[in-house]
Amino acid sequence: MPQTVPVPLAVLLDHPGLGLRQIAGPRGEAPVYLVHTSEMEDPVPYLLGGELLLSAGVHGPEATDAYWDRYVARTVEAGATALGFGIAPVHQEVPRALAEACDRHGLPLVEVPRETTFTAVASAVWDAMAERRHQELRRITEVQQSLAAAAARPHPVPAVLRQLARHLGGWAVLYGPDGAELAAAGPRPSQQARTALASLAARLRAGPASAAGTADGASLSAYGLGGPERPLALGVCAPRRDAAESAVVGVAMVLLALLTGRRTADAGAERTALVRLMLGAEPADVAALLSGADMWTVVRGRRRGRSGDDGLLAAAALAAGLGTPLVDLDGDDLCALVPGDAEVRAQPGWTLGAGAPVPASGLAHAGADAARALRRAVAERLPVVRHAPQPGGVASLVDPAEAEALGRARLAPLEDAPALRETLRMWLSLHGSWDRTAVALDIHRNTVRQRIARTAALLEADLGDADVRMELWFALKW
């Protein structure tokens, strides 16, 4: 069919200025793509398919029943949608044999009254097409906006799938590299349709590709999203497939590819960096491969509650939210490297702790700071806490080497008890709160009390004394 927006024949029949009347053939939403006027005995060479063929019967002033039957058969063979027969100047009414032939061959026959010109019919079709095209473009624009808004929401991949399924009135599914359904939205189709759609997705080649088919009365489409390293696929099962639906799916494909994919160059740089690290290179030597930034921020996180997101989708959402592809998601625990000193924003469903920006050589220390910041965030029920060392202060008056020696000497009794040392650090940072320390360390509050009591005994210190607490905090910082 021509690449135009079709107009249902019923729209022309309801047009008040035309006065058209269907007198034979099947009733229904027959789509009109074009209008063509012809008085040729055989219309086949002159039709593309999908036309409303207009004729005044000039070619058959004294036509027999066999003539009209052959004419209608050839018109149907040419793919015409309907036949419009004009009253006058040759025929004063629609020939009965023509109406009977249209009923036999299943071709809608429309009577065009004497006062209605064929030009008026064609003009009405073009006007209706322009209006429907305008409505279609407006709909596509609205859908694009809703899909873009969904991509900016928490858990963007399921949100985009939900919007896509709603606008198509069907089912949208994201398949993983192994063919498993990572996420889906919309009314679930029959098992036959799901099996056929999964088969289409499995046959896609690596990279951009598509396949289409039908099953159980529904239109099926599968589209490749990822590259060779992450071959995801989008599957769509909808009642119909037309230009508008294709445009909507195209927008969704772009968004899903951005949300779930990685650029090939980035993936190659990550592989090179990994190889060099495994061969003994220092982090500072490979950091330049991953980003042009001189400083890095370590982010650690813990999931709050449970989420229905697949690990791949959750990692993609976090990468987009934190602005870095360097995300390591292990179950409910997160570790990420963010280039530069950009603000670490709260992420829905996660509690985050961030270290201070450091050069690549200081990542290990920054990782410990981020872990402590995360424990504080958990204890204080904050979405994100960032470790921020204070410049200057009393600590700046002491030589770092002497301060380190003092700290080691003061904490020597805890050298073989890292759990006690970390409990003391967290307890002091939370101003001696038993409950918040227990939450931060994920232990019972009585365990916190026992550890602090044991620590006080080993250090021979009165932890109720503010001066002693300050001294120990200084020692722990070094």
Side-chain angles (χ1 to χ4, degrees), residues 347-368:
Q347 301 299 310
W350 290 86
T351 299
L352 303 179
V358 297
S361 59
L363 287 175
H365 182 69

Side-chain angles (χ1 to χ4, degrees), residues 11 24 36 45 49 81 185 327 393 416 419 461 463:
V11 171
H36 181 69
T81 294
V327 173
D416 298 326
L463 296 183

Side-chain angles (χ1 to χ4, degrees), residues 147 150 153-168 170 172 184-186:
L147 288 172
R153 294 174 190 159
H155 311 301
V157 172
V160 169
L161 290 176
R162 284 194 296 271
Q163 286 296 321
L164 177 61
R166 184 173 72 84
H167 287 294
L168 296 182

Side-chain angles (χ1 to χ4, degrees), residues 403-416:
E404 181 178 0
L406 176 62
R408 288 186 179 278
R410 186 68 181 89
L411 298 174
L414 304 181
E415 184 70 25
D416 298 326

Side-chain angles (χ1 to χ4, degrees), residues 297-336:
T297 299
V298 180
V299 179
R300 293 190 179 275
R302 184 180 302 173
R303 195 194 299 268
R304 295 195 301 269
R306 300 303 306 168
S307 171
D309 272 6
D310 177 87
L312 179 64
L313 303 186
L318 287 167
L322 296 174
T324 175
L326 304 177
V327 173
D328 177 21
L329 188 59
D330 183 10
D332 293 338
D333 296 321
L334 161 72
C335 184

Side-chain angles (χ1 to χ4, degrees), residues 330-383:
D330 183 10
D332 293 338
D333 296 321
L334 161 72
C335 184
L337 290 178
V338 179
D341 57 354
E343 178 185 0
V344 177
R345 300 181 181 274
Q347 301 299 310
W350 290 86
T351 299
L352 303 179
V358 297
S361 59
L363 287 175
H365 182 69
D369 289 340
R372 286 191 287 271
L374 172 60
R375 287 194 289 269
R376 282 189 54 203
V378 171
E380 299 180 16
R381 293 181 173 83
L382 297 174

Side-chain angles (χ1 to χ4, degrees), residues 387-409:
H387 175 74
Q390 296 295 325
V394 177
S396 64
L397 302 177
V398 182
D399 179 76
E402 294 182 4
E404 181 178 0
L406 176 62
R408 288 186 179 278

